[in-house]
Amino acid sequence: MADHFARGRSAEVFRIDDGRVMKLFFEDYPREYAEKEFRNTKIASELGCTPMKVYEMVEKEGRSGFVMDFINGVSQNDMPSKNPLYLLKGGKDLARCHVKVQARRSHELEDIRTMCADLLSDETMSFLSAEERQRAEKYLLSLPEDDTVLHLDFHTGNVLVDPDGNCTVIDWMTAARGNRAVEEAMMEFLFSEAELFPEAGKLQKAFFAAVRGYIGKQFFKEYQKLTPLSAEEIDRYRLPALIIRRSWNIDFEKPYLTKTIRELIRKYGIS
C-alpha cells in the first residue's frame, strides 16, 4: 500500500508517485458512489471548477477508489492553526470560490430535481406519508430547469488553500446541476445546523460553532455582494437541499431535517 496521507468520513487518501494520490473508499462504501464521484470530478475538472484531474478507477483489497492529482494545500478548516489571521478572510475566499464554480454550466451532471424526486423513495425518507411524498415530488418536478453547477457539500473542509492562496474544491460526489439557490440553501444549513466534529467535546463544539458562525457571516456578506440572491428565492429551493442532506442519514441532523422537510412540504407541496 502507498503512504497514508489523509482520512475522511468515507475514504482514505494515499500518496503514490508522479504527483498523484489514490483515494480508497472503505469496504462498506458502495462502488457506484465511488464511480459517481470519479465521474463528477472528471466533469468538474473539464469545466474548470477544479484543477484536480482524475485518471482511473482502482480496486485494492476489496475497496473501490480512483487515482487523482495531489493538491499541495491545506483545508480551510486547518488554515487558522497555521495563520490565525486567515479567519478574517476565510469566508470571503469561500464565497469567491463558490461564485467561480457557479459560473460554470453542465448538462452532464444529474438534474437536482429528478435526483431529489428519486430520493423520496429512499429508506431515509420513510418518515414521509404517501401524500407528503406525492406533494413533494410534484413541487420538485415543477421547478424550472437550470444547468448551473452545484457542489452541495461546499464546506471549509472541502476547500484546499495552496501556498499562493489559491483555492481548490474537492469531494465532488454530491455534485449536480440546478438553480444556485439550492446551493445557498445548503450553505445556510451547513453554517447553522450541520453536525460539527462528532468526536469533539462540548467546549470544543461551542468554539467550532462560534468560528463557523463567524465564517458564515463573512461568506454570505461577500456572496450577496458578488451575486445577490433573495431570501425568498433561497427558501423556494430549501426543500431539495434538505432532502439531499437527509439522505446522508446523519443521526445528529435527523430531528431538524425531518421537521423542516415536513414544514416545507406543507408550505410548497403541490396537491
Side-chain angles (χ1 to χ4, degrees):
M1 186 69 74
D3 294 334
H4 188 273
F5 180 68
R7 180 185 179 94
R9 189 189 292 267
S10 60
E12 294 175 296
V13 178
F14 299 86
R15 289 289 299 269
I16 54 179
D17 54 8
D18 298 326
R20 298 179 182 181
V21 296
M22 177 172 56
K23 183 172 186 176
L24 277 184
F25 296 91
F26 298 126
E27 289 185 23
D28 60 349
Y29 194 79
R31 179 180 171 83
E32 63 192 270
Y33 291 175
E35 291 173 342
K36 182 178 181 181
E37 182 170 338
F38 176 82
R39 182 172 62 254
N40 286 352
T41 306
K42 187 173 187 295
I43 293 170
S45 177
E46 291 171 350
L47 289 171
C49 296
T50 177
M52 182 176 63
K53 295 181 180 179
V54 292
Y55 297 96
E56 60 182 342
M57 290 290 299
V58 295
E59 288 284 339
K60 297 286 184 181
E61 300 175 359
R63 299 167 63 181
S64 300
F66 53 84
V67 175
M68 59 186 180
D69 282 335
F70 168 71
I71 301 297
N72 181 25
V74 176
S75 79
Q76 282 195 311
N77 277 349
D78 296 328
M79 280 296 291
S81 65
K82 298 183 177 298
N83 177 13
L85 293 178
Y86 188 75
L87 276 175
L88 302 177
K89 67 188 292 286
K92 294 179 181 179
D93 280 357
L94 187 65
R96 295 185 191 111
C97 188
H98 207 65
V99 170
K100 180 180 177 181
V101 168
Q102 290 182 347
R104 308 299 181 180
R105 300 289 183 267
S106 172
H107 287 292
E108 295 181 83
L109 292 170
E110 190 173 357
D111 189 323
I112 190 70
R113 301 171 304 169
T114 54
M115 179 191 294
C116 290
D118 290 344
L119 282 174
L120 291 172
S121 301
D122 190 79
E123 178 63 27
T124 57
M125 297 294 143
S126 61
F127 63 90
L128 294 175
S129 68
E131 180 185 359
E132 286 173 319
R133 285 195 295 272
Q134 184 179 55
R135 294 186 67 207
E137 181 178 17
K138 286 183 178 180
Y139 176 69
L140 291 166
L141 297 180
S142 75
L143 294 170
E145 183 177 5
D146 199 312
D147 58 0
T148 299
V149 173
L150 309 176
H151 183 278
L152 299 174
D153 195 23
F154 212 114
H155 58 75
T156 51
N158 280 339
V159 177
L160 303 182
V161 184
D162 72 17
D164 295 323
N166 300 310
C167 293
T168 296
V169 186
I170 62 173
D171 287 1
W172 289 86
M173 202 283 283
T174 54
R177 61 183 175 91
N179 191 291
R180 66 188 177 100
V182 179
E183 189 89 85
E184 299 325 298
M186 182 69 84
M187 294 301 287
E188 288 186 356
F189 174 83
L190 292 175
F191 276 120
S192 61
E193 304 294 339
E195 182 179 46
L196 271 172
F197 306 109
E199 71 280 0
K202 287 186 178 180
L203 289 178
Q204 286 179 306
K205 287 182 179 179
F207 172 74
F208 291 142
V211 171
R212 177 174 70 176
Y214 178 74
I215 293 174
K217 287 180 180 178
Q218 282 185 35
F219 169 84
F220 289 114
K221 183 177 180 180
E222 184 72 8
Y223 184 86
Q224 289 290 350
K225 183 173 75 174
L226 295 171
T227 52
L229 193 62
S230 72
E232 292 77 17
E233 185 74 355
I234 294 173
D235 194 61
R236 286 182 59 228
Y237 285 89
R238 198 175 307 280
L239 181 59
L242 298 191
I243 287 174
I244 290 288
R245 189 68 183 192
R246 181 62 180 82
S247 72
W248 288 31
N249 213 28
I250 298 172
D251 287 339
F252 175 83
E253 299 173 358
K254 287 179 183 178
Y256 172 85
L257 290 171
T258 298
K259 174 177 176 290
T260 309
I261 286 171
R262 280 192 148 143
E263 289 174 350
L264 290 167
I265 292 173
R266 284 196 293 271
K267 184 175 183 179
Y268 292 111
I270 299 175
S271 299

